[in-house]
Every structure is written in C-alpha cells, then in structure tokens.
Amino acid sequence: MGKQPLNENMVKTLRKLTADNELHSLLLNLGVDTMLRASDLLLLKVGSVISENGKVKDEVSVFQKKTKRKTIALPLSDHSKKVIKKYLNPLEQDRYIFMGQKKYTGRPISTRQYQRIIKGWMTSLGVDDVNAFSSHSLRKTKSSIIFQKTKNIEACRRLLSHNSVTATSSYLGIEDSDATDLARQYDI
C-alpha cells in the first residue's frame, strides 16, 4: 500500500496545530484538497489559487509534470480558502505559494523539506511510525476518505489523475478482501 493516508481526525488536529504557521497551514490544506504530487504542489503559484481581481478561486486545475496532463477541476475547501485569504497577497500572482525562510531565493521549499515538515507533524500527533507517512500521505488523504465513504473508485481515479482503476486500487491499498467484505453486505 505504500505510505498511509491521514485520517479525518489527524487532519482536524493538524489544522489546529498549524493555524498560526503560514507555510504549514497552506501545505496541509492545499496538500489535502488538491491531491497533487509534491513536485506539482510545491510549484503552485499565488495565481493558481487567486484570480487577478483578488478573489480566491473555487477550484484549481494544474498541469502535472509526471503525467504531462492537466488535472480535472479540484475544488478548494473552505479551510483552504480561509488560509489563502489569510496568508497570500493577490498582487503577487507569480510568487510561489510555499516559500520557506529563504524567501529571497524566489524558489519554493524542496520536496525534502516538505517531507521533514510532514514527519514533524506526525511526531507532534504522537504517531509511533512516522516513516509510514510522507508527502504521498497528503495526496492519498482525501481520495482515501472519498473511497471509504462512496466506494467510487472511478471518481478517485479521476481525482488522482491515474490512467487506470487498477493503478488507483493499488495506490489506495484496495485488496480482494475489501471486495469480498463489500459483497457480504448485500444478500440478494
């Protein structure tokens, strides 16, 4: 299954813990909402989430480096919109969203720094095996919750921009036993 997704309680707790930290709050909320790979998430610019007239966008669509395709429209939650309004300046359309302490470089944080931040979050949550979590954990979080609640693997495939349902099933850790358990729920 690879890295574990966060559960809803973890996300809620992390939102409280990161509320006063611009970088962490933006990473958490946009990471969960957009379900993007770290390499794509970290390249988001202010103009990706705020229109030129200063209004926070309702959804984002991003050209992905790995797949060379654009994502479907990914809706931004009220949590993301709130931190975008709080921390981002609409006049800086070309500025990267995820700037570290060295803002003068004009570059976003590295994927390595992003990984360290997530490990720190897991430590603050008291997680025993912090190595079970990574940037992919944030990518998986929303799609895993959507699948748990709806069992709609095709919707998850599209949200994650996967080429096949097989890839999505593997990515989300869906096993034959999950199908069997689902079949047991219906006695016809």
Side-chain angles (χ1 to χ4, degrees):
M1 180 174 162
K3 300 298 182 180
Q4 291 182 27
L6 281 66
N7 62 43
E8 289 181 83
N9 288 333
M10 293 168 105
V11 173
K12 288 176 185 174
T13 302
L14 285 172
R15 281 191 176 124
K16 291 175 187 168
L17 292 174
T18 63
D20 294 324
N21 183 312
E22 175 181 344
L23 175 63
H24 289 219
S25 193
L26 287 164
L27 278 170
L28 174 66
N29 288 288
L30 289 172
V32 169
D33 274 356
T34 63
M35 298 170 272
L36 292 171
R37 292 173 187 85
S39 58
D40 295 319
L41 178 69
L42 298 178
L43 293 179
L44 287 178
K45 293 189 175 183
V46 172
S48 304
V49 296
I50 300 178
S51 63
E52 288 183 13
N53 67 7
K55 183 181 181 304
V56 175
K57 296 178 179 179
D58 291 324
E59 51 195 35
V60 296
S61 188
V62 177
F63 185 80
Q64 299 171 96
K65 285 171 49 175
K66 181 178 178 180
T67 62
K68 309 256 188 286
R69 291 191 326 246
K70 204 165 185 157
T71 64
I72 64 170
L74 302 167
L76 294 175
S77 68
D78 289 340
H79 297 287
S80 286
K81 290 178 184 179
K82 181 179 171 185
V83 297
I84 289 167
K85 285 178 190 170
K86 181 177 179 179
Y87 292 120
L88 298 180
N89 180 350
L91 299 177
E92 298 178 323
Q93 291 282 306
D94 289 329
R95 183 180 83 84
Y96 289 106
I97 293 173
F98 306 108
M99 302 291 285
Q101 293 175 334
K102 298 178 182 177
K103 288 183 177 27
Y104 62 86
T105 66
R107 294 175 38 214
I109 63 169
S110 66
T111 53
R112 179 171 286 232
Q113 180 61 24
Y114 182 32
Q115 299 286 13
R116 282 194 293 263
I117 289 169
I118 292 169
K119 302 282 188 221
W121 292 346
M122 296 304 108
T123 300
S124 68
L125 290 175
V127 170
D128 290 332
D129 184 9
V130 296
N131 291 322
F133 296 88
S134 74
S135 60
H136 253 68
S137 298
L138 263 66
R139 176 167 158 73
K140 282 184 178 182
T141 297
K142 192 170 191 175
S143 58
S144 294
I145 293 167
I146 289 169
F147 179 75
Q148 288 169 2
K149 291 183 176 189
T150 68
K151 303 297 185 214
N152 189 337
I153 195 73
E154 176 61 19
C156 293
R157 181 195 72 76
R158 289 171 183 256
L159 289 167
L160 292 167
S161 295
H162 285 164
N163 286 326
S164 70
V165 169
T166 304
T168 306
S169 295
S170 174
Y171 186 77
L172 295 178
I174 301 164
E175 299 175 352
D176 291 346
S177 61
D178 297 316
T180 302
D181 291 344
L182 193 57
R184 284 190 183 112
Q185 293 177 23
Y186 298 96
D187 188 19
I188 300 173

